[in-house]
Amino acid sequence: MKLLEVQNLKMYYQTSQGYVKAVDDISFQVEKGETVGLVGESGCGKTSVAISILRLLPSNGRILGGRILFKGEDLLEKEEAKMRKLRWQSISIIFQAAMNALNPVYRVGEQIAEAIRVHQALGRREVKERVRELYQLVGMDPCRGRDYPHQYSGGMKQRAIIAMALACNPELVIADEPTTALDVIVQDQIMEELSKLQRQLGMAMIYISHDISILAETCNRMGIMYAGKLIEYGETASLFREPLHPYTQSLLASYPNLKGEKRKLSSIQGEPPGLIHPPPGCRFHPRCSRKKTICEKEEPGYRKIEDNHWAACHLLS
Ligand code: SF4
């Protein structure tokens, strides 16, 4: 069952030099209880997709087209008061480096309790009990709720932020680079914890990361973003087995493979383009070693290769 459908979403930032086309005609969907990954280099528009879904745009952000259907209702048409109710209760977000967002002068448990009080009409004792439950859920001793943020390690702060995001039992959690600021061991623990919680609570998740290898084990499906476009989308296994787009192929070739033959790692030449005047045709063409003449002139449409796997590249025509 479809929980979220993003249809032809366009989100631009207005600047004195023109519109930055951060999200340009993107469509994907998330089924109930599934995990979808959005991967791409910094600045490709992943976070802009997340804040568009929650309508948490900065003052110069403009949604210029498309629909965002959550359980069939268009979030872009909802009044702000209804949207405020829906945020956190139905859809919550774990922001990039959110652990630094904990208020240093309040006890962490109190900050989680505050998030519950704002969204749910619970009595003092029930809120306290819910905070205890949440601490246990994310693998922390509830007694640590009395501590201040400076008494927590980085991993513990991130667990507290995850607890806060789960406080109202949302149906969809968006995790935007949830482990980027942590060392690899803690990264692994947090990703495992999130997967366990996702299975246990049955919620759907959108993971956003620049690191395709982190999402490989976690996501049912994955979308690859490049310069504001979704250039490939498919089941994770199919996308790893047979990446269709040259950018996805290059991304995968830049990570070591622990199984199979040893191979030389390669990097993607050049820089991602500016999004005020993105390259015409295929936006990847200035960096693509397989480009054809048509690639500089015509934007490739989506080609479906398997039922659940498609990509936008002229090579697939
Ligand atoms: Fe490369 Fe052309 Fe495919 Fe773009 S459309 S990825 S430039 S081959």
Side-chain angles (χ1 to χ4, degrees), residues 245-246 282 284-285 288 290-291 295 300 313-315:
H245 196 281
C282 169
F284 187 55
H285 84 252
C288 182
R290 299 170 66 193
K291 73 174 170 203
C295 304
C313 174
H314 288 300
L315 296 177

Side-chain angles (χ1 to χ4, degrees), residues 258-273:
L258 296 180
K259 294 173 189 161
E261 285 174 25
K262 266 194 204 170
R263 58 177 165 79
K264 214 172 162 199
L265 299 185
S266 60
S267 60
I268 307 173
Q269 299 301 313
E271 302 275 324

Side-chain angles (χ1 to χ4, degrees), residues 32-311:
K32 221 168 179 273
E34 82 164 340
T35 48
V36 169
L38 284 182
V39 189
E41 289 165 285
S42 300
C44 70
K46 311 178 296 287
T47 298
S48 297
V49 173
I51 59 174
S52 298
I53 294 170
L54 283 153
R55 278 188 26 209
L56 289 171
L57 306 184
S59 58
N60 67 339
R62 306 271 181 277
I63 293 184
L64 296 176
R67 303 201 306 162
I68 300 174
L69 303 176
F70 182 70
K71 299 206 284 190
E73 288 185 33
D74 192 350
L75 299 183
L76 300 180
E77 286 178 358
K78 278 200 182 292
E79 292 155 24
E80 182 47 36
K82 288 194 176 149
M83 213 38 223
R84 218 175 298 136
K85 232 178 144 191
L86 191 132
R87 282 186 210 116
W88 229 252
Q89 276 208 336
S90 302
I91 309 177
S92 69
I93 185 163
I94 303 165
F95 277 117
Q96 235 176 92
M99 57 189 197
N100 299 327
L102 288 169
N103 192 323
V105 297
Y106 287 98
R107 297 179 198 276
V108 179
E110 187 45 40
Q111 296 184 53
I112 298 174
E114 181 63 18
I116 300 170
R117 278 195 291 265
V118 168
H119 294 279
Q120 290 185 322
L122 296 180
R124 251 183 96 211
R125 189 173 295 172
E126 288 162 299
V127 171
K128 216 172 156 189
E129 190 45 42
R130 180 70 184 137
V131 174
R132 283 185 69 82
E133 268 173 34
L134 287 164
Y135 265 83
Q136 279 162 350
L137 203 61
V138 297
M140 284 203 291
D141 182 347
C143 297
R144 299 301 302 261
R146 288 196 294 268
D147 291 348
Y148 290 91
H150 73 270
Q151 294 170 289
Y152 279 25
S153 66
M156 287 173 73
K157 283 186 208 166
Q158 196 63 332
R159 280 174 199 266
I161 290 292
I162 292 167
M164 219 183 263
L166 301 179
C168 304
N169 290 322
E171 289 165 88
L172 173 67
V173 175
I174 303 175
D176 185 3
E177 304 269 11
T179 59
T180 299
L182 305 169
D183 64 66
V184 279
I185 304 224
V186 183
Q187 242 180 38
D188 196 49
Q189 288 170 354
I190 297 283
M191 286 307 283
E192 249 180 49
E193 197 69 50
L194 275 170
S195 298
K196 197 182 87 195
L197 289 170
Q198 190 264 332
R199 287 194 300 273
Q200 196 175 328
L201 306 175
M203 63 204 175
M205 289 198 79
I206 299 178
Y207 281 101
I208 292 176
S209 180
H210 61 277
D211 188 340
I212 197 167
S213 62
I214 282 193
L215 302 188
E217 283 182 30
T218 318
C219 297
N220 306 104
R221 283 190 279 173
M222 213 181 262
I224 311 292
M225 285 192 70
Y226 184 79
K229 297 272 184 192
L230 195 60
I231 49 102
E232 183 160 355
Y233 191 71
E235 308 236 327
T236 304
S238 165
L239 202 134
F240 270 73
R241 192 177 54 245
E242 195 187 353
L244 303 170
H245 196 281
Y247 178 65
T248 315
Q249 292 163 1
S250 309
L251 263 189
L252 289 173
S254 63
Y255 282 93
N257 188 357
L258 296 180
K259 294 173 189 161
E261 285 174 25
K262 266 194 204 170
R263 58 177 165 79
K264 214 172 162 199
L265 299 185
S266 60
S267 60
I268 307 173
Q269 299 301 313
E271 302 275 324
L275 295 181
I276 294 181
H277 301 295
C282 169
R283 291 188 180 177
F284 187 55
H285 84 252
R287 303 172 77 187
C288 182
S289 57
R290 299 170 66 193
K291 73 174 170 203
K292 304 190 284 185
T293 321
I294 189 177
C295 304
E296 295 177 20
K297 296 183 191 138
E298 220 176 274
E299 188 177 339
Y302 292 118
R303 302 272 185 276
K304 212 172 184 180
I305 304 305
E306 285 172 30
D307 248 9
N308 291 317
H309 191 174
W310 47 258

